[in-house]
Structures are given as structure tokens and as C-alpha cells.
């Protein structure tokens, strides 16, 4: 039991790379970093009041926006930032 709690607490302090996409598609339109749960982060994107390309796209597809885990278990913000840039380049080059 203690081992599972330790693993859970460790996972809460780790970073995740996630992608946003429209349901029924495979195209990742946005890549981000978070320590929060993916469900919480998705809701934050839906509630975002800023006006830019990303938020306009999210408002347009609304409940059809899906968040997917790309990578987790990243220990530092510096490492997460590097990986985020790498994934952005990967997804941009694939379409």
C-alpha cells in the first residue's frame, strides 16, 4: 500500500506532454506540458478566455476536443520544455 502511495505522489510531481486533437481524428493540433490530470487540463483549455488561434479552434470544436497523453514521467521542467519542442516539430512535420 505504501509503495502505491509513493508512486502516486511521484507521478503528481512529474510533468506530462499532452496533445489536443479533434475527436475522430489523429491530427494533434496543439502540444503542451502539465503536472495536472489530463481531464483537468482539458477543462482549463475549454474555460480559457484568451483570444488566439488555439482558443478559437477549441471554442469552434468545443466538446469534440480530446486530450491525449504523449509522454509522462518527465522529472524536470527543463526536460519537459525540450521534449515539448521536439514533439511540436514531429507533429508539424507529419501534417
Amino acid at each position: 500500500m505504501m509503495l502505491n502511495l509513493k508512486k502516486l505522489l511521484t507521478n503528481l510531481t512529474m510533468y506530462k506532454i499532452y496533445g489536443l486533437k479533434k475527436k475522430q481524428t489523429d491530427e494533434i493540433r496543439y502540444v503542451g506540458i502539465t503536472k495536472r490530470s489530463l481531464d483537468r487540463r482539458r477543462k482549463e483549455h475549454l474555460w480559457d478566455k484568451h483570444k488566439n488561434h488555439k482558443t478559437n479552434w477549441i471554442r469552434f470544436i468545443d466538446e469534440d476536443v480530446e486530450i491525449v497523453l504523449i509522454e509522462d514521467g518527465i522529472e524536470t521542467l527543463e526536460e519537459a520544455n525540450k521534449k515539448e519542442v521536439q514533439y511540436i516539430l514531429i507533429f508539424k512535420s507529419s501534417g
Side-chain angles (χ1 to χ4, degrees):
M1 181 74 162
M2 189 61 152
L3 183 60
N4 288 340
L5 180 59
K6 184 177 180 181
K7 185 177 179 182
L8 177 63
L9 291 174
T10 300
N11 286 341
L12 291 175
T13 63
M14 299 263 186
Y15 292 92
K16 301 174 193 77
I17 307 287
Y18 67 91
L20 294 179
K21 67 183 201 73
K22 185 176 180 181
K23 291 179 184 175
Q24 292 90 30
T25 71
D26 291 328
E27 181 186 5
I28 300 290
R29 296 277 308 259
Y30 176 82
V31 174
I33 301 169
T34 191
K35 282 187 167 184
R36 296 182 177 95
S37 75
L38 294 183
D39 185 56
R40 172 70 186 194
R41 191 65 188 105
R42 179 185 171 278
K43 288 176 183 171
E44 290 171 347
H45 279 291
L46 290 171
W47 300 331
D48 190 345
K49 299 297 181 207
H50 292 95
K51 290 189 178 193
N52 56 46
H53 182 72
K54 175 192 66 169
T55 57
N56 289 339
W57 172 73
I58 290 170
R59 280 189 202 97
F60 180 73
I61 66 169
D62 194 35
E63 290 301 315
D64 280 338
V65 71
E66 185 176 17
I67 191 165
V68 294
L69 179 65
I70 297 171
E71 184 175 339
D72 65 352
I74 304 166
E75 294 185 7
T76 68
L77 180 58
E78 181 180 1
E79 183 183 0
N81 284 329
K82 287 178 185 176
K83 287 179 178 273
E84 179 188 33
V85 170
Q86 291 170 346
Y87 282 114
I88 289 169
L89 293 173
I90 289 168
F91 290 116
K92 273 189 175 181
S93 69
S94 67

XYZ file of all heavy atoms in Angstrom:
808
model
N 0.825 -1.197 0.000
C 0.000 0.000 0.000
C 0.868 1.260 0.000
O 0.600 2.189 -0.726
C -0.936 -0.040 1.216
C -1.845 1.142 1.302
S -3.145 1.027 0.067
C -4.290 2.147 0.718
N 1.897 1.292 0.818
C 2.772 2.456 0.904
C 3.503 2.686 -0.420
O 3.678 3.815 -0.829
C 3.775 2.270 2.045
C 4.558 3.518 2.326
S 3.441 4.840 2.821
C 4.497 5.786 3.821
N 3.879 1.611 -1.100
C 4.564 1.725 -2.381
C 3.671 2.394 -3.421
O 4.114 3.257 -4.167
C 5.015 0.351 -2.872
C 5.805 0.331 -4.177
C 7.078 1.153 -4.022
C 6.163 -1.085 -4.556
N 2.390 2.035 -3.451
C 1.454 2.653 -4.393
C 1.278 4.130 -4.097
O 1.171 4.940 -5.011
C 0.105 1.948 -4.357
C 0.176 0.574 -4.997
O 1.084 0.302 -5.771
N -0.764 -0.280 -4.659
N 1.214 4.519 -2.825
C 1.094 5.923 -2.444
C 2.337 6.699 -2.876
O 2.233 7.792 -3.416
C 0.873 6.054 -0.937
C 0.725 7.468 -0.399
C -0.454 8.188 -1.065
C 0.549 7.455 1.103
N 3.504 6.099 -2.664
C 4.746 6.751 -3.072
C 4.774 6.949 -4.586
O 5.149 8.002 -5.084
C 5.947 5.927 -2.622
C 7.271 6.580 -2.922
C 8.433 5.767 -2.399
C 9.735 6.463 -2.717
N 10.881 5.700 -2.262
N 4.339 5.938 -5.328
C 4.296 6.036 -6.796
C 3.320 7.119 -7.234
O 3.612 7.911 -8.128
C 3.902 4.690 -7.398
C 3.946 4.665 -8.896
C 3.627 3.297 -9.441
C 3.653 3.334 -10.957
N 3.299 2.042 -11.532
N 2.156 7.192 -6.591
C 1.163 8.213 -6.912
C 1.719 9.611 -6.660
O 1.592 10.502 -7.495
C -0.115 7.999 -6.093
C -1.213 9.045 -6.274
C -1.724 9.043 -7.709
C -2.340 8.797 -5.307
N 2.351 9.816 -5.505
C 2.920 11.127 -5.180
C 4.036 11.497 -6.142
O 4.163 12.654 -6.534
C 3.419 11.136 -3.740
C 2.334 11.063 -2.675
C 2.950 10.932 -1.286
C 1.404 12.259 -2.740
N 4.839 10.520 -6.546
C 5.901 10.780 -7.522
C 5.299 11.199 -8.850
O 5.757 12.157 -9.474
C 6.777 9.526 -7.710
O 7.354 9.193 -6.443
C 7.881 9.772 -8.712
N 4.251 10.521 -9.290
C 3.606 10.868 -10.558
C 3.001 12.259 -10.531
O 2.947 12.936 -11.550
C 2.545 9.834 -10.925
C 3.160 8.540 -11.409
O 4.321 8.504 -11.802
N 2.393 7.482 -11.359
N 2.529 12.715 -9.372
C 1.938 14.053 -9.271
C 2.983 15.151 -9.421
O 2.650 16.274 -9.748
C 1.199 14.206 -7.945
C -0.078 13.389 -7.797
C -0.645 13.544 -6.389
C -1.111 13.784 -8.827
N 4.249 14.835 -9.151
C 5.295 15.846 -9.271
C 6.003 15.782 -10.615
O 6.876 16.581 -10.886
C 6.328 15.688 -8.139
O 6.958 14.413 -8.263
C 5.688 15.837 -6.788
N 5.624 14.837 -11.446
C 6.244 14.680 -12.757
C 5.443 15.454 -13.811
O 4.252 15.679 -13.651
C 6.269 13.204 -13.156
C 7.042 12.337 -12.227
S 8.673 12.112 -12.880
C 9.324 10.928 -11.746
N 6.131 15.806 -14.863
C 5.489 16.507 -15.972
C 4.985 15.516 -17.004
O 5.516 14.414 -17.135
C 6.486 17.461 -16.637
C 6.870 18.614 -15.747
C 7.974 18.536 -14.916
C 6.117 19.779 -15.742
C 8.327 19.595 -14.093
C 6.462 20.848 -14.922
C 7.569 20.738 -14.098
O 7.906 21.789 -13.286
N 3.970 15.951 -17.748
C 3.412 15.175 -18.851
C 3.412 16.059 -20.100
O 3.187 17.259 -20.007
C 1.949 14.797 -18.584
C 1.673 13.992 -17.366
C 0.150 13.856 -17.212
C -0.253 13.348 -15.878
N -0.207 14.316 -14.802
N 3.627 15.441 -21.226
C 3.430 16.105 -22.519
C 2.100 15.572 -23.048
O 1.863 14.366 -23.055
C 4.549 15.763 -23.521
C 5.937 16.043 -22.941
C 4.321 16.490 -24.849
C 6.304 17.480 -22.815
N 1.242 16.482 -23.479
C -0.072 16.079 -23.985
C -0.353 16.764 -25.305
O 0.299 17.752 -25.672
C -1.180 16.417 -22.968
C -1.371 17.902 -22.778
C -2.295 18.609 -23.553
C -0.626 18.620 -21.855
C -2.468 19.974 -23.398
C -0.792 19.986 -21.689
C -1.712 20.654 -22.458
O -1.878 22.005 -22.315
N -1.320 16.228 -26.008
C -1.745 16.832 -27.266
C -3.238 17.064 -27.260
O -3.990 16.354 -26.586
N -3.665 18.085 -27.993
C -5.088 18.338 -28.209
C -5.417 18.010 -29.656
O -4.663 18.355 -30.567
C -5.437 19.802 -27.935
C -5.289 20.292 -26.509
C -5.657 21.775 -26.427
C -6.143 19.493 -25.549
N -6.550 17.330 -29.838
C -6.985 16.968 -31.182
C -8.499 16.923 -31.209
O -9.147 16.880 -30.162
C -6.406 15.610 -31.591
C -6.930 14.436 -30.786
C -6.246 13.153 -31.218
C -7.037 11.933 -30.863
N -8.220 11.689 -31.656
N -9.046 16.937 -32.389
C -10.481 16.762 -32.554
C -10.791 15.276 -32.502
O -10.061 14.466 -33.095
C -10.944 17.348 -33.895
C -12.434 17.300 -34.083
C -12.853 17.973 -35.371
C -14.359 17.902 -35.518
N -14.814 18.523 -36.750
N -11.845 14.914 -31.775
C -12.244 13.504 -31.715
C -12.446 12.978 -33.131
O -12.792 13.726 -34.036
C -13.541 13.343 -30.913
C -13.364 13.616 -29.443
C -14.678 13.470 -28.701
C -14.492 13.847 -27.235
N -15.763 13.831 -26.511
N -12.249 11.718 -33.320
C -12.359 11.024 -34.606
C -11.247 11.392 -35.592
O -11.344 11.092 -36.774
C -13.732 11.226 -35.293
C -14.893 10.578 -34.587
C -15.552 11.497 -33.568
O -15.560 12.692 -33.720
N -16.091 10.903 -32.511
N -10.217 12.080 -35.126
C -9.064 12.350 -35.992
C -7.800 11.958 -35.232
O -7.822 11.796 -34.020
C -8.946 13.835 -36.380
O -8.543 14.596 -35.240
C -10.233 14.383 -36.950
N -6.707 11.842 -35.958
C -5.416 11.554 -35.340
C -4.506 12.779 -35.334
O -3.393 12.712 -34.837
C -4.720 10.409 -36.086
C -5.434 9.082 -35.892
O -6.024 8.867 -34.812
O -5.408 8.260 -36.825
N -4.967 13.884 -35.902
C -4.128 15.072 -36.043
C -4.016 15.833 -34.730
O -4.993 16.389 -34.230
C -4.698 16.002 -37.115
C -3.854 17.240 -37.317
C -4.485 18.251 -38.266
O -5.629 18.045 -38.699
O -3.830 19.253 -38.547
N -2.813 15.866 -34.172
C -2.535 16.655 -32.967
C -2.392 18.107 -33.408
O -1.545 18.438 -34.230
C -1.241 16.182 -32.270
C -1.342 14.717 -31.857
C -0.910 17.089 -31.087
C -2.283 14.423 -30.728
N -3.241 18.981 -32.865
C -3.226 20.394 -33.256
C -2.476 21.273 -32.259
O -2.143 22.416 -32.554
C -4.661 20.913 -33.365
C -5.491 20.267 -34.445
C -5.286 20.878 -35.812
N -5.440 22.303 -35.861
C -6.517 22.947 -36.303
N -7.546 22.259 -36.741
N -6.548 24.255 -36.325
N -2.242 20.748 -31.048
C -1.570 21.528 -30.011
C -0.822 20.568 -29.098
O -1.331 19.494 -28.773
C -2.606 22.324 -29.202
C -2.023 23.080 -28.041
C -1.426 24.319 -28.222
C -2.054 22.550 -26.754
C -0.877 25.010 -27.158
C -1.508 23.236 -25.678
C -0.924 24.464 -25.891
O -0.376 25.150 -24.828
N 0.381 20.950 -28.690
C 1.183 20.163 -27.754
C 1.472 21.042 -26.548
O 1.838 22.214 -26.697
C 2.502 19.687 -28.407
C 3.384 18.987 -27.381
C 2.225 18.779 -29.590
N 1.290 20.474 -25.347
C 1.527 21.238 -24.128
C 2.146 20.386 -23.037
O 2.331 19.183 -23.177
N 2.457 21.061 -21.918
C 3.067 20.449 -20.739
C 2.149 20.691 -19.553
O 1.591 21.786 -19.408
C 4.419 21.108 -20.418
C 5.392 20.995 -21.572
C 5.024 20.534 -19.138
C 6.633 21.848 -21.390
N 2.035 19.701 -18.674
C 1.279 19.898 -17.439
C 1.743 18.934 -16.362
O 2.351 17.907 -16.669
C -0.239 19.727 -17.663
O -0.933 20.176 -16.510
C -0.603 18.281 -17.968
N 1.457 19.298 -15.115
C 1.599 18.387 -13.984
C 0.216 17.934 -13.528
O 0.088 17.029 -12.735
C 2.289 19.083 -12.809
C 3.775 19.226 -12.938
C 4.320 19.784 -11.631
C 5.809 19.675 -11.557
N 6.319 20.130 -10.248
N -0.810 18.611 -14.028
C -2.187 18.312 -13.626
C -2.700 17.054 -14.324
O -2.086 16.556 -15.260
C -3.090 19.484 -13.985
C -2.750 20.755 -13.248
C -3.729 21.843 -13.629
N -3.481 23.041 -12.891
C -2.745 24.058 -13.327
N -2.204 24.009 -14.520
N -2.584 25.127 -12.587
N -3.879 16.603 -13.907
C -4.516 15.493 -14.618
C -4.902 15.989 -16.013
O -5.159 17.185 -16.216
C -5.751 15.006 -13.870
O -6.830 15.910 -14.039
N -4.947 15.080 -16.958
C -5.295 15.480 -18.326
C -6.730 15.983 -18.409
O -7.014 16.924 -19.161
C -5.065 14.321 -19.294
C -3.607 13.909 -19.468
C -3.500 12.798 -20.515
C -2.719 15.077 -19.846
N -7.630 15.400 -17.637
C -9.017 15.862 -17.628
C -9.098 17.304 -17.137
O -9.783 18.138 -17.738
C -9.881 14.954 -16.747
C -11.339 15.342 -16.814
O -11.893 15.380 -17.935
O -11.928 15.612 -15.746
N -8.363 17.619 -16.076
C -8.340 18.987 -15.541
C -7.755 19.954 -16.572
O -8.280 21.047 -16.790
C -7.534 19.009 -14.238
C -7.259 20.369 -13.677
C -8.490 21.009 -13.157
N -8.197 22.373 -12.744
C -8.990 23.088 -12.017
N -10.126 22.591 -11.595
N -8.669 24.312 -11.694
N -6.670 19.556 -17.217
C -6.029 20.439 -18.197
C -6.944 20.700 -19.386
O -7.013 21.812 -19.901
C -4.699 19.825 -18.662
C -3.869 20.790 -19.469
C -3.439 21.979 -18.607
N -2.814 22.996 -19.421
C -3.394 24.157 -19.766
N -4.606 24.452 -19.327
N -2.754 25.020 -20.518
N -7.658 19.671 -19.841
C -8.619 19.839 -20.941
C -9.676 20.861 -20.571
O -10.000 21.759 -21.360
C -9.275 18.500 -21.278
C -10.290 18.583 -22.383
C -10.998 17.232 -22.572
N -12.111 17.369 -23.469
C -13.322 17.810 -23.114
N -13.573 18.138 -21.864
N -14.286 17.914 -24.009
N -10.214 20.764 -19.358
C -11.226 21.718 -18.896
C -10.668 23.127 -18.838
O -11.352 24.086 -19.199
C -11.770 21.292 -17.533
C -12.662 20.078 -17.617
C -13.116 19.607 -16.250
C -13.949 18.336 -16.407
N -14.233 17.715 -15.117
N -9.424 23.264 -18.406
C -8.804 24.592 -18.378
C -8.718 25.182 -19.780
O -8.936 26.381 -19.966
C -7.417 24.509 -17.734
C -7.474 24.233 -16.253
C -6.122 23.943 -15.642
O -5.135 23.713 -16.381
O -6.041 23.937 -14.404
N -8.408 24.354 -20.757
C -8.387 24.840 -22.150
C -9.785 25.282 -22.588
O -9.938 26.307 -23.253
C -7.862 23.775 -23.108
C -6.374 23.677 -23.143
N -5.571 24.657 -23.674
C -5.534 22.706 -22.704
C -4.309 24.302 -23.578
N -4.256 23.116 -22.993
N -10.801 24.529 -22.224
C -12.180 24.883 -22.595
C -12.629 26.182 -21.931
O -13.429 26.929 -22.484
C -13.142 23.750 -22.239
C -13.016 22.480 -23.078
C -13.859 21.362 -22.481
C -13.413 22.733 -24.528
N -12.119 26.460 -20.722
C -12.516 27.668 -19.975
C -11.661 28.884 -20.314
O -11.983 30.002 -19.899
C -12.416 27.422 -18.476
C -13.278 26.320 -17.957
C -14.473 25.890 -18.465
C -13.030 25.486 -16.824
N -14.967 24.852 -17.721
C -14.110 24.578 -16.704
C -11.996 25.413 -15.896
C -14.174 23.626 -15.699
C -12.064 24.454 -14.889
C -13.147 23.577 -14.799
N -10.579 28.698 -21.056
C -9.641 29.780 -21.361
C -10.362 30.915 -22.096
O -11.004 30.695 -23.119
C -8.505 29.227 -22.217
C -7.360 30.212 -22.391
O -7.527 31.416 -22.099
O -6.285 29.770 -22.834
N -10.247 32.121 -21.592
C -10.939 33.279 -22.171
C -10.083 34.076 -23.157
O -10.557 35.030 -23.753
C -11.416 34.221 -21.054
C -12.397 33.576 -20.095
C -13.667 33.174 -20.803
C -14.650 32.563 -19.826
N -15.561 31.631 -20.423
N -8.805 33.711 -23.310
C -7.948 34.421 -24.257
C -8.446 34.209 -25.682
O -9.125 33.232 -25.969
C -6.502 33.926 -24.134
C -5.871 34.307 -22.846
N -5.846 33.455 -21.765
C -5.263 35.443 -22.450
C -5.234 34.050 -20.757
N -4.868 35.264 -21.142
N -8.103 35.133 -26.541
C -8.479 35.008 -27.949
C -7.210 34.857 -28.771
O -6.425 35.787 -28.908
C -9.270 36.230 -28.407
C -10.642 36.285 -27.778
C -11.494 37.364 -28.395
C -12.859 37.308 -27.735
N -13.832 38.076 -28.453
N -7.005 33.653 -29.277
C -5.883 33.378 -30.171
C -6.275 32.179 -31.035
O -7.377 31.649 -30.917
C -4.583 33.129 -29.384
C -4.706 32.020 -28.359
O -5.236 30.946 -28.649
N -4.230 32.262 -27.150
N -5.382 31.768 -31.911
C -5.689 30.681 -32.839
C -6.110 29.407 -32.106
O -7.098 28.765 -32.467
C -4.477 30.416 -33.742
C -4.709 29.362 -34.757
N -5.523 29.554 -35.857
C -4.265 28.088 -34.838
C -5.556 28.449 -36.569
N -4.802 27.541 -35.974
N -5.362 29.042 -31.054
C -5.659 27.814 -30.308
C -7.023 27.888 -29.632
O -7.836 26.967 -29.763
C -4.580 27.556 -29.247
C -4.887 26.356 -28.358
C -3.965 26.292 -27.149
C -4.246 27.465 -26.272
N -3.675 27.499 -24.972
N -7.304 28.969 -28.926
C -8.587 29.057 -28.210
C -9.761 29.176 -29.171
O -10.833 28.634 -28.897
C -8.596 30.231 -27.199
O -8.313 31.444 -27.893
C -7.591 30.008 -26.090
N -9.571 29.848 -30.295
C -10.642 29.912 -31.302
C -10.954 28.520 -31.845
O -12.122 28.164 -32.019
C -10.262 30.847 -32.451
C -10.274 32.299 -32.026
O -10.903 32.673 -31.047
N -9.543 33.119 -32.753
N -9.916 27.728 -32.115
C -10.116 26.362 -32.595
C -10.843 25.523 -31.538
O -11.787 24.806 -31.857
C -8.765 25.738 -32.949
C -8.837 24.282 -33.274
C -9.348 23.722 -34.409
C -8.420 23.198 -32.460
N -9.252 22.351 -34.342
C -8.679 22.007 -33.152
C -7.827 23.116 -31.197
C -8.375 20.750 -32.641
C -7.517 21.864 -30.682
C -7.808 20.702 -31.402
N -10.427 25.640 -30.283
C -11.058 24.879 -29.195
C -12.524 25.280 -29.044
O -13.398 24.421 -28.907
C -10.284 25.066 -27.875
C -8.930 24.352 -27.977
C -11.087 24.549 -26.685
C -7.984 24.661 -26.843
N -12.824 26.575 -29.099
C -14.223 27.016 -28.992
C -15.057 26.506 -30.170
O -16.213 26.149 -30.006
C -14.301 28.532 -28.932
C -13.999 29.075 -27.575
C -14.301 30.561 -27.476
N -13.536 31.112 -26.378
C -12.361 31.730 -26.496
N -11.838 31.931 -27.678
N -11.724 32.170 -25.439
N -14.450 26.471 -31.346
C -15.165 26.039 -32.541
C -15.572 24.568 -32.444
O -16.689 24.206 -32.792
C -14.299 26.276 -33.791
C -14.956 25.850 -35.060
C -16.012 26.591 -35.595
C -14.537 24.720 -35.726
C -16.626 26.199 -36.775
C -15.147 24.311 -36.902
C -16.192 25.062 -37.427
N -14.648 23.714 -31.947
C -14.996 22.291 -31.866
C -15.547 21.909 -30.494
O -16.118 20.831 -30.332
C -13.814 21.379 -32.249
C -12.662 21.483 -31.260
C -13.378 21.646 -33.661
C -11.606 20.423 -31.459
N -15.398 22.778 -29.501
C -15.961 22.663 -28.149
C -15.794 21.277 -27.540
O -14.683 20.867 -27.258
C -17.425 23.111 -28.174
C -17.988 23.343 -26.776
O -17.226 23.798 -25.907
O -19.163 23.049 -26.569
N -16.864 20.556 -27.347
C -16.811 19.262 -26.661
C -16.136 18.173 -27.489
O -15.881 17.084 -26.989
C -18.215 18.817 -26.239
C -18.807 19.659 -25.122
C -17.969 19.658 -23.842
O -17.506 18.582 -23.416
O -17.767 20.734 -23.270
N -15.835 18.452 -28.749
C -15.133 17.473 -29.586
C -13.618 17.526 -29.399
O -12.898 16.771 -30.039
C -15.467 17.676 -31.066
C -16.811 17.065 -31.437
O -17.273 16.169 -30.711
O -17.381 17.493 -32.441
N -13.134 18.435 -28.528
C -11.698 18.476 -28.281
C -11.337 17.325 -27.350
O -12.011 17.056 -26.366
C -11.228 19.843 -27.720
C -11.686 20.059 -26.301
C -9.731 19.982 -27.812
N -10.284 16.621 -27.727
C -9.819 15.471 -26.946
C -8.372 15.710 -26.542
O -7.585 16.232 -27.319
C -9.930 14.204 -27.789
C -9.585 12.943 -27.056
C -9.814 11.703 -27.909
O -9.933 11.801 -29.150
O -9.879 10.629 -27.313
N -8.035 15.332 -25.323
C -6.666 15.456 -24.847
C -6.069 14.059 -24.778
O -6.723 13.120 -24.326
C -6.615 16.194 -23.493
C -5.185 16.563 -23.118
C -7.311 15.412 -22.403
C -5.088 17.585 -22.002
N -4.851 13.920 -25.290
C -4.193 12.620 -25.303
C -2.798 12.736 -24.688
O -2.108 13.738 -24.883
C -4.095 12.036 -26.737
C -5.466 11.715 -27.284
C -3.358 12.980 -27.672
N -2.428 11.724 -23.948
C -1.102 11.681 -23.342
C -0.083 11.292 -24.409
O -0.258 10.298 -25.114
C -1.081 10.655 -22.203
C 0.257 10.482 -21.490
C 0.651 11.769 -20.767
C 0.197 9.322 -20.523
N 0.968 12.082 -24.510
C 2.048 11.778 -25.437
C 3.208 11.127 -24.674
O 3.748 10.117 -25.091
C 2.513 13.047 -26.179
C 1.369 13.597 -27.037
C 3.750 12.764 -27.021
C 1.637 14.951 -27.648
N 3.561 11.718 -23.533
C 4.642 11.163 -22.707
C 4.447 11.629 -21.276
O 4.045 12.760 -21.034
C 6.008 11.622 -23.235
C 7.176 11.014 -22.510
C 8.537 11.382 -23.102
O 8.616 11.770 -24.277
O 9.522 11.278 -22.352
N 4.763 10.749 -20.315
C 4.694 11.152 -18.916
C 5.951 10.715 -18.183
O 6.848 10.121 -18.769
C 3.429 10.623 -18.238
C 3.385 9.112 -18.146
O 4.249 8.442 -18.734
O 2.473 8.596 -17.494
N 6.020 11.060 -16.903
C 7.174 10.674 -16.098
C 8.393 11.550 -16.312
O 9.514 11.133 -16.025
N 8.191 12.774 -16.782
C 9.311 13.694 -17.033
C 9.596 14.453 -15.741
O 8.713 15.086 -15.175
C 8.975 14.664 -18.186
C 8.599 13.864 -19.436
C 10.150 15.588 -18.460
C 7.943 14.679 -20.517
N 10.833 14.393 -15.283
C 11.173 14.887 -13.947
C 11.340 16.397 -13.828
O 10.996 16.964 -12.806
C 12.432 14.182 -13.446
C 12.207 12.698 -13.217
C 13.410 12.004 -12.600
O 14.380 12.692 -12.230
O 13.366 10.781 -12.490
N 11.904 17.050 -14.838
C 12.185 18.477 -14.699
C 11.447 19.288 -15.765
O 11.153 18.790 -16.855
C 13.693 18.776 -14.824
O 14.112 18.511 -16.171
C 14.510 17.959 -13.835
N 11.207 20.561 -15.438
C 10.572 21.460 -16.401
C 11.480 21.668 -17.604
O 11.009 21.728 -18.746
C 10.233 22.789 -15.739
C 9.566 23.828 -16.626
C 8.265 23.284 -17.219
C 9.310 25.106 -15.841
N 12.776 21.759 -17.367
C 13.725 21.943 -18.469
C 13.633 20.778 -19.463
O 13.562 20.985 -20.677
C 15.152 22.048 -17.928
C 16.191 22.267 -19.001
C 17.605 22.360 -18.437
O 17.803 22.236 -17.225
O 18.523 22.551 -19.257
N 13.594 19.552 -18.951
C 13.466 18.380 -19.812
C 12.117 18.384 -20.531
O 12.034 18.083 -21.724
C 13.614 17.105 -18.972
C 13.569 15.833 -19.771
C 13.650 14.583 -18.898
O 13.732 14.687 -17.667
O 13.605 13.484 -19.483
N 11.053 18.756 -19.812
C 9.717 18.805 -20.412
C 9.662 19.838 -21.533
O 9.074 19.579 -22.588
C 8.672 19.115 -19.340
N 10.272 20.998 -21.317
C 10.293 22.030 -22.357
C 11.006 21.544 -23.622
O 10.544 21.792 -24.740
C 10.961 23.299 -21.841
C 10.068 24.085 -20.925
O 8.846 24.081 -21.054
N 10.659 24.757 -19.945
N 12.131 20.860 -23.453
C 12.868 20.333 -24.609
C 12.026 19.308 -25.364
O 11.959 19.331 -26.587
C 14.180 19.699 -24.157
C 15.237 20.692 -23.739
C 16.494 19.987 -23.265
C 17.505 20.990 -22.728
N 18.693 20.326 -22.172
N 11.391 18.419 -24.619
C 10.572 17.388 -25.247
C 9.355 17.993 -25.940
O 8.950 17.543 -27.006
C 10.147 16.343 -24.221
C 11.289 15.449 -23.802
C 10.846 14.437 -22.781
C 11.969 13.517 -22.405
N 12.099 12.356 -23.272
N 8.776 19.036 -25.337
C 7.625 19.704 -25.948
C 8.002 20.240 -27.330
O 7.271 20.036 -28.305
C 7.130 20.837 -25.055
C 5.949 21.587 -25.646
C 5.596 22.829 -24.852
O 6.509 23.470 -24.286
O 4.407 23.158 -24.795
N 9.141 20.895 -27.423
C 9.603 21.434 -28.704
C 9.825 20.304 -29.704
O 9.429 20.412 -30.878
C 10.894 22.270 -28.517
C 11.523 22.628 -29.852
C 10.609 23.526 -27.706
N 10.421 19.208 -29.255
C 10.647 18.069 -30.149
C 9.328 17.520 -30.684
O 9.205 17.249 -31.885
C 11.401 16.952 -29.412
C 12.830 17.307 -29.091
C 13.488 16.294 -28.158
O 12.824 15.457 -27.545
N 14.805 16.371 -28.050
N 8.332 17.374 -29.803
C 7.040 16.847 -30.252
C 6.312 17.826 -31.176
O 5.669 17.402 -32.124
C 6.159 16.473 -29.060
C 6.557 15.164 -28.433
C 7.071 15.113 -27.149
C 6.418 13.963 -29.120
C 7.440 13.913 -26.558
C 6.780 12.759 -28.557
C 7.291 12.738 -27.267
O 7.654 11.542 -26.701
N 6.441 19.111 -30.906
C 5.828 20.106 -31.812
C 6.415 19.940 -33.209
O 5.681 19.918 -34.200
C 6.027 21.539 -31.273
C 5.165 21.765 -30.024
C 5.725 22.585 -32.358
C 5.486 23.036 -29.267
N 7.720 19.818 -33.297
C 8.376 19.648 -34.607
C 7.943 18.341 -35.277
O 7.699 18.307 -36.486
C 9.890 19.690 -34.446
C 10.466 21.039 -34.021
C 11.955 20.920 -33.735
C 10.195 22.103 -35.055
N 7.813 17.273 -34.494
C 7.376 15.982 -35.044
C 5.969 16.102 -35.622
O 5.706 15.677 -36.747
C 7.436 14.878 -33.963
C 8.886 14.523 -33.647
C 6.655 13.643 -34.404
C 9.052 13.672 -32.399
N 5.041 16.694 -34.842
C 3.657 16.768 -35.307
C 3.492 17.762 -36.447
O 2.648 17.561 -37.323
C 2.710 17.053 -34.139
C 2.579 15.893 -33.210
C 3.009 15.970 -31.899
C 2.023 14.691 -33.650
C 2.895 14.886 -31.032
C 1.912 13.598 -32.800
C 2.350 13.692 -31.491
N 4.277 18.844 -36.460
C 4.220 19.788 -37.584
C 4.698 19.130 -38.871
O 4.134 19.349 -39.937
C 5.071 21.025 -37.304
C 4.361 22.099 -36.559
C 5.193 23.355 -36.509
C 4.410 24.466 -35.859
N 5.171 25.705 -35.821
N 5.751 18.332 -38.770
C 6.297 17.709 -39.988
C 5.412 16.577 -40.499
O 5.477 16.228 -41.673
C 7.707 17.180 -39.724
O 7.679 16.076 -38.856
N 4.553 16.026 -39.625
C 3.695 14.925 -40.070
C 2.362 15.412 -40.626
O 1.533 14.617 -41.036
C 3.460 13.924 -38.928
O 2.694 14.529 -37.907
N 2.145 16.706 -40.614
C 0.908 17.171 -41.223
C 0.434 18.395 -40.603
O -0.467 19.024 -40.780
